[in-house]
Amino acid sequence: MSAVETVPKDEAMFRSAVMSLVQLYIPQEIARDAVYTLGQLGIVQFRDLNSETNSFQRTFVDEIRRLDNVQRQYRYFFKLLQKHNIPLYEGAIEQYDRPSNLNDANIMSQLIVPPSTSAIDDHVQNAALLEQRLVQMEEATEQIEAQKVDLEQYRIVLQSGDQFFQSGDSMALAATATVVDLEDTLRRSSITINFVTGIIPRDKINTFEQILWRVLRGNLFFKHIEIEQPIFDVKTQSYIAKNAFIVYSHGDLILDRIKRIAESLDAHLYEIDKNPESRSQKLLKINENLSDLYTVLQSTTTTLESELFGIGQELNSWYQDIAREKSTYETLNKFNFDKNRKTLIAEGWIPEDELSFLKDCLVQMTSKLGVDVPSIIQVLGTNKTPPTFHRLNKFTQAFQSICDSYGVPQYREVNPGLPTIVTFPFMFAIMFGDMGHGFIMTMAALVFVLNEKKFDRMKRGEILDMAYTGRYIILFMGLFSMYTGFLYNDIFSRSMTLFKSGWEWPEDFKAGEMLYAKKVGTYPIGIDWAWHGAENSLLFSNSYKMKLSIVMGFIHMTYSYMFSLVNHLHFKSMIDIVANFIPGLLFMQGIFGYLSVCIIYKWSVDWIGDGKAAPGLLNMIINMFLAPGTIDEELYPHQAKVQIFLLGMALLCVPWLLLMKPLHFKFTHSEKKNSFPTADDIETQALLHDENEDEIAETEGTIAANNDSEEGEGHGEELGDVIIHQVIHTIEFCLNCVSHTASYLRLWALSLAHAQLSSVLWSMTLELSFGVPGALGVFMTVSLFTLWFCLTIAVLVMMEGTSAMLHSLRLHWVESMSKYFVGDGIPYEPFVFQYLDMETDVANNAGNIAA
Amino acid sequence: MSFYTVLGVLFTVIIISVVFWVLAPKENQTVWRSTVTLSLAMMFLMWAITYLTQLHPLIEPRRSDLRPEFVE
């Protein structure tokens, strides 16, 4: 592309950006500031130079550990904030974003100055102090809380005492009346009936009763009352339904045993008096105690909350500071020290066109810090595979992620994300063609697109987030659906009579007579509305949509296939053009290209006007294989010869595809010891030849140590591998030509299904209400319209839309991308500071600990 | 109205695409060029196929539910 020179930076959309591996020499004094600056720029992907050292042996482990602790403390503060419902003041989040329009002139003024180390130390000390204080306060509160609960429970038991003794006495007496003798003996031996009272969780009440029954052999009287309000449980920190109970029995030994059983079942025992007066006295006393406790608790909570409120104002900015500091040190850990430990050496990938910008940045930074030792940047030659980097914006991002989720494009190969911007929504639209449904979809997408700023800062749920990230995809899907719907002449399954119909019905006829329309012209744009409602309309739309999907599919595949030529040309791999691209192209065009041309040719001939029989294309293509040379119905003169030639060519392409590459490999391989690249990594290898080989040798010494672990394979290609690979490729390619073409028929099936479903929905709901007179008619229209509209949104737009989207996705991943896409790239992940949302962070961390 | 209509429209679409290719905005040029030309191409194809199907149709619409009083 010639125009690229006019733009300052490579757009890096058609191909990924050219990357260079650079070495940075940073004096130790300014290392932290330098990395902090780089973290804000987000243009360098650092390589880990200490990958063999485990994370505990690295240079800045202590710093990271210290910061980890602070982060843990901050997360604890955040949890307390959540617990006490105190909002976290997030501040202007924008300030944490990567500055979007950095210009070279004055970079440093646009960046945040890194907090000084003493500021970080302050953070650390502060956090420790605050944690101590908060923990103390929390403990105090909990203690008071426990006391409060205890007293409250006591109060409940006391209050229930009235009920216990009212009914309990008579019952107990009744129970004991049966054992009057025993009673007498008891009295005589001065053992009185005694009781145990307390509170127990409701779900344990049955167990408790059963155990008591068994242990005491039924020699007891048990009664319990449900407490309406659930009671706060200090142990589990939650509210639990509880019951107050009373157990009558006799004998100290037995009572002891009952107490022990109760306590083992988490019951709390409270002694109450049988005498109502002393009970009410006790109650008064407890109420007094409780009110004291309430005041204490309130004042403690207020102090705690005001403390937390102060923390909530600052916590987020502290957290971001610490997170940045931590990722700075984590990056520093990837660096090497030179021999006398004065300079840090870093290695990383950077887009070539950002190199001068990076240099400017570092120069400005050094001069600002007033250090006279400059940082040095040196570009390295390398044989490592550079990461793939496409410069994306909010529009292209979603489309790129569709492709990236299948595979990251190889370095510098054609990026499938670019054509996907149009082909994906358009293929969708062929299946979803309806102006009304497309309009709804467009409106929904516009809500997201126009309120981008609002949605961007919102905390989105999973589904909403998906819709929001894909807003431009949905917008395009909607727009193209409106276009295809216009061509299908479908708006909510109705038709529009915008142009004069190309068909005319006869003038005079009787009602119920079978009528045939007469052709008077051709409908200029879209399907003629005369077909709408015709008895044989399905016959027509079937044939139309089937041919449409074959032709569109064929063109889509050919278009994709051409990218493989672009790739081979770019990587200067002639053998792939001659041995793969050309025979493949001839094979595909010879069969399916021919079919498509025949379809279009057949349309352009006026068969009825010429008085000839229209040949069936399906039979023609089948006969082309089964009985070459025999033509049942002639489509055009010399058809037999052309077909035999095409068939012969296609058949010839198979051995060509199969043999040429292995043979070529054999000959070139025996001549040159330096193996010629083959098969998969042909592009990688070709690309390496671009880089000057002397430089590789030169720098080998410096980076060899890091090199060998990653590279080294790929050179050992054997002839056998090439043969196997080529056999697979040949079989796959030839079969795929057939199956992929057939696969595009899904366009036909889905669009037909969509049109039918929407017309059925129309006739089953809204249409029923037409012509119904009076109030009933009004009611039916309103209610059936609601039903129709809801079902249209839910079924036709959402469900059908999702299904069509998945089909379109498949057409791209399988049918289109398999034609050219290698997709073994390494994603470019530059070191950049991320804004960490505390809430998600805390949730994640809790999850990690649980797991 | 014939096959030449399709060729004429094709020619127009090509001219529009070329003009846009030259005039495309400088920022995000690749995306603009690819998106607009590809959209035009696909929209043209879709229209052309629809038009061609109806150019020399082999079947005509048929219905028996028309009533004489509603025919214009």
Side-chain angles (χ1 to χ4, degrees):
Chain A
M1 248 165 246
S2 57
V4 169
E5 288 133 38
T6 58
V7 237
K9 277 180 196 169
D10 180 12
E11 203 182 331
M13 194 56 204
F14 186 63
R15 292 180 198 294
S16 62
V18 181
M19 307 295 282
S20 348
L21 184 66
V22 291
Q23 223 170 16
L24 297 163
Y25 294 84
I26 309 170
Q28 206 201 339
E29 308 90 71
I30 60 162
R32 181 173 158 275
D33 297 80
V35 172
Y36 204 92
T37 313
L38 291 174
Q40 289 182 65
L41 298 177
I43 49 174
V44 190
Q45 176 181 358
F46 288 107
R47 295 188 60 234
D48 191 353
L49 299 180
N50 306 315
S51 52
E52 265 137 56
T53 329
N54 77 34
S55 53
F56 298 108
Q57 293 167 337
R58 299 198 177 195
T59 324
F60 299 100
V61 184
D62 292 337
E63 280 83 351
I64 290 178
R65 204 173 290 158
R66 195 170 69 134
L67 295 170
D68 261 339
N69 190 39
V70 179
Q71 276 192 319
R72 179 193 58 74
Q73 286 162 335
Y74 285 164
R75 281 196 295 267
Y76 170 68
F77 299 162
F78 185 71
K79 270 184 225 159
L80 286 184
L81 286 183
Q82 280 180 321
K83 189 178 155 193
H84 292 270
N85 279 327
I86 294 167
L88 176 76
Y89 175 71
E90 294 201 312
I93 300 174
E94 289 80 12
Q95 60 168 319
Y96 299 110
D97 284 349
R98 183 183 172 223
S100 50
N101 291 313
L102 287 172
N103 50 355
D104 301 4
N106 198 356
I107 304 151
M108 294 315 288
S109 65
Q110 299 167 52
L111 298 177
I112 303 171
V113 186
S116 61
T117 35
S118 63
I120 297 291
D121 285 343
D122 281 351
H123 277 339
V124 176
Q125 278 172 10
N126 247 331
L129 275 174
L130 280 174
E131 191 196 20
Q132 214 179 2
R133 190 141 34 130
L134 287 176
V135 166
Q136 263 176 15
M137 278 200 232
E138 267 296 287
E139 270 173 5
T141 326
E142 265 167 32
Q143 220 174 347
I144 298 169
E145 194 86 23
Q147 277 178 27
K148 191 188 93 181
V149 171
D150 196 52
L151 283 178
E152 276 173 350
Q153 287 187 358
Y154 198 173
R155 187 167 61 177
I156 290 166
V157 177
L158 279 172
Q159 282 162 345
S160 343
D162 294 341
Q163 291 184 52
F164 284 145
F165 295 120
Q166 248 171 32
S167 56
D169 266 356
S170 54
M171 291 283 281
L173 287 175
T176 44
T178 52
V179 277
V180 181
D181 305 344
L182 189 73
E183 184 85 350
D184 289 340
T185 36
L186 282 174
R187 262 168 223 252
R188 250 175 280 140
S189 55
S190 79
I191 301 168
T192 47
I193 297 180
N194 230 325
F195 57 86
V196 176
T197 45
I199 270 188
I200 190 165
R202 191 164 299 161
D203 50 347
K204 289 193 174 145
I205 198 98
N206 282 333
T207 331
F208 184 47
E209 196 171 358
Q210 274 172 13
I211 292 177
L212 283 181
W213 194 256
R214 272 188 212 146
V215 171
L216 306 181
R217 311 233 164 93
N219 221 343
L220 80 159
F221 175 71
F222 181 76
K223 184 168 165 43
H224 58 95
I225 299 168
E226 287 191 2
I227 303 164
E228 274 173 33
Q229 298 278 328
I231 292 169
F232 187 76
D233 192 88
V234 187
K235 248 189 236 161
T236 55
Q237 295 285 316
S238 57
Y239 284 88
I240 292 178
K242 288 190 174 184
N243 281 13
F245 68 87
I246 185 162
V247 186
Y248 292 91
S249 201
H250 45 72
D252 287 341
L253 221 68
I254 289 171
L255 281 179
D256 263 0
R257 203 181 276 173
I258 293 173
K259 278 178 190 162
R260 255 180 290 148
I261 292 169
E263 269 161 1
S264 71
L265 285 169
D266 292 337
H268 294 269
L269 301 177
Y270 300 96
E271 268 180 32
I272 59 173
D273 207 291
K274 217 171 169 181
N275 182 3
E277 272 152 37
S278 55
R279 271 214 309 278
S280 59
Q281 267 175 13
K282 188 84 189 168
L283 199 62
L284 272 174
K285 208 172 154 196
I286 282 175
N287 276 339
E288 225 168 82
N289 282 353
L290 261 176
S291 67
D292 284 353
L293 218 58
Y294 284 142
T295 13
V296 177
L297 188 63
Q298 204 176 13
S299 67
T300 329
T301 326
T302 331
T303 344
L304 179 64
E305 276 178 1
S306 62
E307 184 86 17
L308 282 175
F309 194 77
I311 292 174
Q313 295 290 314
E314 303 269 356
L315 186 59
N316 197 38
S317 70
W318 293 346
Y319 194 71
Q320 302 308 327
D321 279 353
I322 294 295
R324 285 173 166 225
E325 187 76 7
K326 194 179 143 195
S327 64
T328 304
Y329 278 114
E330 273 168 354
T331 309
L332 280 171
N333 259 345
K334 293 180 175 174
F335 297 179
N336 255 342
F337 268 112
D338 75 337
K339 279 174 207 123
N340 41 20
R341 299 184 74 82
K342 284 256 171 73
T343 317
L344 282 164
I345 304 166
E347 249 177 55
W349 293 103
I350 178 170
E352 204 177 63
D353 43 20
E354 302 265 24
L355 207 61
S356 63
F357 175 65
L358 177 70
K359 280 178 186 159
D360 284 355
C361 270
L362 286 181
V363 168
Q364 285 187 30
M365 190 201 64
T366 343
S367 66
K368 197 176 170 194
L369 289 172
V371 184
D372 49 354
V373 200
S375 316
I376 302 162
I377 302 179
Q378 191 190 345
V379 180
L380 299 176
T382 178
N383 58 349
K384 273 189 276 289
T385 318
T388 308
F389 172 48
H390 299 116
R391 284 208 173 84
L392 300 172
N393 51 34
K394 59 180 181 177
F395 173 69
T396 47
Q397 211 155 31
F399 294 100
Q400 186 68 47
S401 73
I402 289 181
C403 298
D404 282 354
S405 53
Y406 182 74
V408 176
Q410 199 183 36
Y411 179 63
R412 299 291 286 161
E413 84 167 321
V414 172
N415 176 20
L418 186 63
T420 301
I421 295 173
V422 178
T423 52
F424 178 80
F426 204 92
M427 286 291 158
F428 168 87
I430 294 178
M431 294 180 269
F432 194 74
D434 189 301
M435 273 190 89
H437 304 155
F439 181 72
I440 292 176
M441 199 167 252
T442 313
M443 289 292 114
L446 277 179
V447 171
F448 289 122
V449 171
L450 298 179
N451 298 312
E452 239 160 34
K453 285 212 179 92
K454 219 185 288 171
F455 279 105
D456 205 37
R457 291 301 174 201
M458 214 169 102
K459 291 205 169 67
R460 302 180 294 265
E462 203 177 341
I463 303 275
L464 185 65
D465 188 57
M466 220 152 38
Y468 173 73
T469 12
R471 63 196 179 280
Y472 286 104
I473 304 180
I474 301 176
L475 180 69
F476 267 42
M477 292 195 308
L479 290 175
F480 282 132
S481 298
M482 280 167 72
Y483 177 74
T484 51
F486 181 67
L487 289 186
Y488 291 157
N489 212 340
D490 272 338
I491 173 162
F492 294 118
S493 83
R494 304 283 86 196
S495 64
M496 297 162 287
T497 54
L498 294 177
F499 305 99
K500 190 183 168 297
S501 172
W503 298 96
E504 220 165 56
W505 297 102
E507 292 284 308
D508 35 61
F509 56 90
K510 288 192 205 88
E513 199 180 340
M514 178 71 78
L515 298 176
Y516 294 91
K518 199 163 102 343
K519 187 170 188 295
V520 289
T522 310
Y523 201 66
I525 304 172
I527 299 283
D528 200 323
W529 46 268
W531 285 107
H532 191 90
E535 275 166 24
N536 52 356
S537 73
L538 202 57
L539 208 65
F540 170 76
S541 61
N542 240 337
S543 135
Y544 158 63
K545 284 180 175 171
M546 183 175 72
K547 285 169 181 165
L548 169 84
S549 52
I550 297 254
V551 174
M552 289 306 269
F554 166 74
I555 291 172
H556 187 208
M557 284 192 292
T558 312
Y559 175 70
S560 308
Y561 194 59
M562 288 304 159
F563 282 138
S564 75
L565 176 66
V566 177
N567 273 338
H568 297 324
L569 285 175
H570 181 259
F571 294 120
K572 298 196 181 66
S573 136
M574 262 324 267
I575 177 65
D576 270 303
I577 298 177
V578 178
N580 265 340
F581 177 74
I582 293 177
L585 186 74
L586 290 179
F587 184 84
M588 197 160 85
Q589 305 302 312
I591 299 169
F592 297 100
Y594 176 64
L595 176 63
S596 303
V597 169
C598 284
I599 290 174
I600 291 167
Y601 175 77
K602 190 185 160 189
W603 277 335
S604 63
V605 174
D606 187 3
W607 298 98
I608 296 172
D610 296 352
K612 283 189 286 188
L617 291 178
L618 195 63
N619 283 330
M620 184 204 82
I621 205 84
I622 292 172
N623 275 338
M624 184 173 154
F625 293 102
L626 294 184
T630 53
I631 305 293
D632 294 337
E633 293 157 315
E634 195 181 59
L635 187 69
Y636 56 91
H638 307 295
Q639 192 186 356
K641 286 175 219 162
V642 173
Q643 286 189 4
I644 289 176
F645 170 73
L646 287 176
L647 187 64
M649 186 181 75
L651 289 180
L652 192 72
C653 286
V654 178
W656 180 359
L657 204 55
L658 190 65
L659 296 175
M660 186 160 175
K661 208 170 166 185
L663 288 178
H664 174 267
F665 179 82
K666 193 174 186 315
F667 292 131
T668 49
H669 197 66
S670 54
E671 280 166 23
K672 265 197 285 177
K673 192 68 212 130
N674 197 2
S675 73
F676 196 83
T678 46
D680 266 354
D681 49 10
I682 185 83
E683 279 90 4
T684 334
Q685 300 295 326
L687 166 157
L688 293 179
H689 284 256
D690 291 357
E691 316 247 8
N692 28 5
E693 280 169 84
D694 352 344
E695 224 184 274
I696 296 174
E698 215 178 85
T699 50
E700 202 98 67
T702 49
I703 48 170
N706 318 315
N707 255 349
D708 40 23
S709 55
E710 291 169 34
E711 287 292 316
E713 316 131 48
H715 290 287
E717 278 276 329
E718 293 293 326
L719 181 62
D721 297 339
V722 180
I723 292 174
I724 289 173
H725 186 271
Q726 198 58 25
V727 168
I728 294 172
H729 176 75
T730 308
I731 296 172
E732 206 177 48
F733 185 83
C734 297
L735 291 184
N736 278 354
C737 272
V738 182
S739 70
H740 286 179
T741 310
S743 185
Y744 275 96
L745 290 176
R746 75 186 65 232
L747 296 177
W748 164 40
L750 277 247
S751 71
L752 213 61
H754 186 76
Q756 286 299 305
L757 201 61
S758 65
S759 86
V760 164
L761 181 68
W762 175 275
S763 60
M764 299 268 275
T765 55
L766 197 52
E767 206 178 53
L768 295 178
S769 67
F770 294 163
V772 179
L776 180 66
V778 174
F779 173 72
M780 272 180 81
T781 315
V782 170
S783 57
L784 285 174
F785 174 79
T786 321
L787 184 66
W788 171 82
F789 188 72
C790 292
L791 284 177
T792 297
I793 300 276
V795 178
L796 291 176
V797 178
M798 310 266 268
M799 267 172 62
E800 282 272 284
T802 318
S803 123
M805 203 168 78
L806 290 177
H807 279 283
S808 177
L809 196 63
R810 185 225 140 93
L811 284 180
H812 279 80
W813 282 353
V814 181
E815 273 74 26
S816 160
M817 273 154 81
S818 70
K819 297 286 181 294
Y820 64 102
F821 187 60
V822 180
D824 58 356
I826 307 156
Y828 171 63
E829 284 153 345
F831 164 60
V832 63
F833 290 140
Q834 304 282 349
Y835 174 76
L836 293 175
D837 183 49
M838 280 208 86
E839 198 176 332
T840 42
D841 243 37
V842 168
N844 287 346
N845 230 274
N848 286 345
I849 289 163
Chain B
M1 289 285 183
S2 66
F3 196 74
Y4 295 105
T5 320
V6 178
L7 293 182
V9 177
L10 172 65
F11 192 64
T12 324
V13 168
I14 290 175
I15 287 179
I16 296 173
S17 301
V18 169
V19 168
F20 183 82
W21 188 275
V22 177
L23 297 180
K26 288 282 168 286
E27 206 184 336
N28 295 317
Q29 199 170 37
T30 322
V31 178
W32 273 110
R33 283 175 170 173
S34 151
T35 308
V36 171
T37 45
L38 203 53
S39 303
L40 282 173
M42 294 198 83
M43 284 162 83
F44 163 76
L45 279 173
M46 188 82 182
W47 167 81
I49 292 168
T50 315
Y51 182 80
L52 283 169
T53 346
Q54 300 179 91
L55 193 55
H56 301 297
L58 295 171
I59 55 170
E60 65 268 33
R62 182 185 77 204
R63 62 195 300 173
S64 55
D65 55 350
L66 283 185
R67 278 177 290 174
E69 57 267 31
F70 284 101
V71 173
E72 302 151 39

